[in-house]
Amino acid sequence: MSLHISDAVIWQESGDGISLYHSESGDFRTLNSTAAQIWALVESDGDRETVVNNLSLLFAGHNPVMTARIRAEVDAFIGSMIEADLMEETESGTQATRSEPAARS
């Protein structure tokens, strides 16, 4: 599965995290530093497993309990972003239909 930021999302990094605006729904959110790390990893890589692996290397080392917790937190965050139409998940090798890349200011 491949993750993509919705075309309707305009986002900006700041010192406090990332601010998101969904141009179609009017939804505005500010992500804390942990959620912002997940968002940035999705934006740069687009793969859920790679996001989990990168965060696990940073924070869990070789601790399987911490890795499982990180996986659960990443899955919950990504699930909430998909439910809010801020992210899309497609089959690997299939691109979401996009007229333009996701906006970033």
Side-chain angles (χ1 to χ4, degrees):
M1 298 295 261
S2 182
L3 295 163
H4 308 278
I5 295 170
S6 171
D7 290 338
V9 174
I10 299 167
W11 62 283
Q12 179 177 5
E13 292 180 272
S14 69
D16 297 328
I18 291 179
S19 297
L20 309 175
Y21 175 71
H22 193 281
S23 62
E24 294 172 1
S25 69
D27 187 20
F28 179 82
R29 297 178 187 211
T30 300
L31 304 179
N32 65 26
S33 61
T34 303
Q37 279 187 300
I38 297 170
W39 183 272
L41 287 168
V42 167
E43 193 271 333
S44 68
D45 197 63
D47 179 71
R48 186 185 298 245
E49 196 60 32
T50 301
V51 171
V52 170
N53 289 338
N54 286 338
L55 292 174
S56 293
L57 286 172
L58 283 172
F59 300 110
H62 297 288
N63 184 325
V65 173
M66 287 302 296
T67 297
R69 183 171 179 182
I70 288 168
R71 180 178 305 284
E73 293 292 328
V74 167
D75 287 343
F77 173 77
I78 290 173
S80 71
M81 294 292 103
I82 291 170
E83 185 176 314
D85 294 325
L86 298 168
M87 284 184 191
E88 302 163 350
E89 191 166 34
T90 59
E91 294 291 327
S92 294
T94 305
Q95 286 286 332
T97 304
R98 300 178 139 210
S99 55
E100 300 175 18
R104 180 179 182 184
S105 52

